[in-house]
Amino acid sequence: MASVAELKAAIDIALQQIGDGQSAVQAAGEKLAEAQQTLAGALEGSGHTTVEAAQASLTQASQELEECLAATLVAVEQAQQYVSTL
């Protein structure tokens, strides 16, 4: 069985990895927003269904990234609560 210090160290590493993941998700969200603006500008006035579908897909992807970030925040809170009980 791992010692309390080893558990805390492992959780700290996991929290850092989550933070790195959060940064990557935030960067991906920013790139998606840029892509969405670029696509909207390039295809302004086009009523083609594929353009609308592309925009809808980008919107969905952005929403899913936000959900991902929210889930990681909950995971961090739960891990921190556990550490406080050790």
Side-chain angles (χ1 to χ4, degrees):
M1 179 172 223
S3 71
V4 171
E6 290 170 329
L7 283 173
K8 286 182 177 183
I11 292 169
D12 284 343
I13 291 169
L15 291 174
Q16 179 59 48
Q17 291 168 331
I18 292 169
D20 293 346
Q22 288 170 329
S23 295
V25 170
Q26 289 171 334
E30 291 168 7
K31 287 295 180 184
L32 280 178
E34 290 172 15
Q36 199 166 15
Q37 289 177 346
T38 301
L39 187 62
L43 302 173
E44 188 175 339
S46 175
H48 199 276
T49 56
T50 56
V51 171
E52 293 170 3
Q55 290 288 17
S57 292
L58 289 173
T59 298
Q60 180 182 353
S62 293
Q63 291 169 345
E64 290 176 6
L65 286 175
E66 288 297 321
E67 291 170 7
C68 176
L69 282 175
T72 62
L73 291 174
V74 171
V76 166
E77 289 175 9
Q78 291 170 339
Q80 289 172 334
Q81 285 178 347
Y82 178 70
V83 167
S84 71
T85 66
L86 296 176

